[in-house]
Amino acid sequence: MKLTIIRLTHFSDQDRIDLGKIWPSRDLAGITVDESHAIYAARFNERLLAAVCVTLDGAEGELSALCVREVTRRRGVGQYLVEEVLQRNPEIGRWRMADTGVEDQRVMSAFMQALGFSTQDGGWQKH
């Protein structure tokens, strides 16, 4: 099967299980999904492998809680996920991602810079 990027509008029971593996310490009930708040996820073989929260505000977007399941890392899943989110929201002229909750600052910084983001105080941004 092919890796696909989807925007979750609701969570199936399997999605909840998979998101629990991606974000084990996050309460899914507290996640808002509407026109301004979205969850994008990478799906392979009917399972979610990675997810990111996206908040849109006019021409600005913010990525948060980007995480790829540990067994799937270093295979391009996170890169494909972020690239698709940016491509699907062409009206956004400036993207930001805070470094809050990042497991490994050095690895995430290299990852974000490879995607064209520049380091700034408290995270990364892309124009």
Side-chain angles (χ1 to χ4, degrees), residues 31-73:
I31 295 177
T32 302
V33 179
D34 57 28
E35 288 300 312
S36 299
H37 302 89
I39 303 292
Y40 284 86
R43 185 183 302 272
F44 183 76
N45 285 342
E46 301 303 315
R47 297 293 185 264
L48 302 180
L49 304 178
V52 64
C53 296
V54 178
T55 303
L56 304 175
D57 184 15
E60 296 184 358
E62 182 169 355
L63 305 171
S64 61
L66 172 63
C67 190
V68 178
R69 287 178 55 180
E70 194 167 341
V71 297
T72 308
R73 291 180 185 166

Side-chain angles (χ1 to χ4, degrees), residues 10-126:
H10 66 281
F11 306 134
S12 70
D13 290 340
Q14 186 60 53
D15 291 344
R16 290 180 189 284
I17 292 167
D18 294 341
L19 289 170
K21 292 176 183 176
I22 294 167
W23 296 320
S25 61
R26 188 148 192 190
D27 177 18
L28 296 180
I31 295 177
T32 302
V33 179
D34 57 28
E35 288 300 312
S36 299
H37 302 89
I39 303 292
Y40 284 86
R43 185 183 302 272
F44 183 76
N45 285 342
E46 301 303 315
R47 297 293 185 264
L48 302 180
L49 304 178
V52 64
C53 296
V54 178
T55 303
L56 304 175
D57 184 15
E60 296 184 358
E62 182 169 355
L63 305 171
S64 61
L66 172 63
C67 190
V68 178
R69 287 178 55 180
E70 194 167 341
V71 297
T72 308
R73 291 180 185 166
R74 313 263 327 141
R75 296 181 186 175
V77 174
Q79 178 180 348
Y80 186 49
L81 175 59
V82 173
E83 286 173 346
E84 281 291 310
V85 168
L86 273 56
Q87 184 179 25
R88 292 182 188 190
N89 295 282
E91 70 282 5
I92 303 301
R94 187 176 100 177
W95 287 95
R96 182 178 189 313
M97 181 162 154
D99 61 6
T100 307
V102 171
E103 289 177 27
D104 186 327
Q105 286 286 101
R106 187 182 53 78
V107 170
M108 184 60 89
S109 187
F111 173 77
M112 295 306 290
Q113 289 175 19
L115 288 170
F117 283 72
S118 58
T119 302
Q120 67 170 33
D121 189 34
W124 304 270
Q125 92 176 8
K126 181 174 185 168

